[in-house]
């Protein structure tokens, strides 16, 4: 069931425009397509202004504030519920932070990441190779144990199969 309704107090992420990537709170609903949002500016850097709903991504977080609340009321509600702290702990926020970190990397930092990935891949490959070899050895031992139970002519066939490997 859909629960992210456009309502006063809903925390949202701005997806387009000069405040792209910043968090804001829906303060008032102007029409079906437009809302008034506020950061507040001292906390998130978003001034109070009107914007289209399609430029917002609504989050699961909501504060108990009335329509058209003042900035002071909004700040108190944000601090009381620790909304921005809860937001920063979500997978969505962490993903955005990682994306921003990658975008701000220098050439040398990208090189270091590449080298670390290669090293990790090499270690994983070595462990997998060792595990496969051990598994293959266990299968061969089980097969040899099973051959003792087989009739003589099957043992000869097993030798032919083993030689073919």
């Amino acid at each position: 069931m859909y629960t992210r309704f456009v309502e006063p107090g809903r925390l949202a992420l701005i997806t387009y425009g000069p405040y792209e990537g910043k968090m804001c709170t829906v303060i008032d609903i102007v029409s079906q397509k437009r809302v008034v949002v506020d950061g507040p500016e001292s906390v998130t850097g978003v001034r109070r202004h009107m914007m289209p709903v399609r430029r917002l991504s609504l989050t699961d977080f909501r504060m108990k504030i009335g329509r058209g609340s003042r900035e002071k009321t909004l700040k108190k509600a944000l601090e009381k519920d620790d909304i921005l702290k809860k937001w920063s702990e979500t997978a969505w926020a962490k993903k955005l932070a990682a994306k921003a970190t990658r975008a701000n990397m220098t050439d040398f930092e990208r090189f270091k990441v590449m080298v670390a990935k290669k090293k990790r891949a090499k270690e994983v490959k070595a462990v997998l190779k060792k595990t496969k070899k051990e598994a293959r050895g266990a299968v061969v031992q089980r097969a040899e144990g099973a051959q003792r139970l087989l009739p003589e002519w099957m043992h000869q066939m097993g030798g032919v199969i083993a030689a073919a490997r």
Side-chain angles (χ1 to χ4, degrees):
M1 187 169 105
Y2 189 76
T3 55
R4 293 181 184 175
F5 299 110
V6 178
E7 55 191 333
R10 177 70 61 186
L11 191 70
L13 175 71
I14 299 174
T15 58
Y16 185 80
Y19 296 115
E20 182 179 354
K22 293 187 179 182
M23 299 306 296
C24 67
T25 307
V26 175
I27 300 297
D28 199 0
I29 300 165
V30 178
S31 68
Q32 285 282 345
K33 295 185 177 185
R34 298 185 78 73
V35 293
V36 175
V37 296
D38 193 356
E41 188 174 13
S42 60
V43 179
T44 63
V46 178
R47 300 177 79 149
R48 185 173 291 222
H49 67 288
M50 187 169 50
M51 70 182 309
V53 175
R54 69 173 184 265
R55 292 185 179 185
L56 296 175
S57 287
L58 302 174
T59 67
D60 291 330
F61 300 104
R62 183 181 183 276
M63 297 165 280
K64 297 286 184 187
I65 60 171
R67 273 183 73 181
S69 296
R70 297 184 322 159
E71 189 172 336
K72 184 178 176 183
T73 311
L74 180 59
K75 278 185 190 177
K76 281 184 184 177
L78 278 170
E79 290 171 7
K80 178 183 158 203
D81 296 338
D82 279 336
I83 297 289
L84 293 177
K85 184 179 180 223
K86 290 177 185 174
W87 161 253
S88 64
E89 293 169 356
T90 63
W92 186 1
K94 288 176 184 175
K95 191 182 206 180
L96 290 173
K99 187 176 178 182
T101 303
R102 281 194 306 270
N104 293 326
M105 280 184 161
T106 63
D107 187 41
F108 184 60
E109 290 169 334
R110 281 192 294 275
F111 171 77
K112 289 195 290 189
V113 168
M114 179 199 67
V115 170
K117 282 182 177 180
K118 280 184 168 182
K119 184 177 179 183
R120 183 183 65 190
K122 186 176 180 181
E123 290 174 3
V124 167
K125 190 175 180 181
V127 170
L128 281 174
K129 187 174 182 180
K130 181 181 174 185
T131 308
K132 279 184 179 180
K133 190 173 185 180
E134 290 173 357
R136 208 176 302 126
V139 169
V140 169
Q141 287 176 351
R142 269 191 259 130
E144 288 172 358
Q147 282 182 350
R148 291 188 204 114
L149 303 173
L150 298 176
E152 185 61 36
W153 65 272
M154 287 188 164
H155 283 294
Q156 294 169 352
M157 289 301 293
V160 171
I161 294 171
R165 285 188 197 166

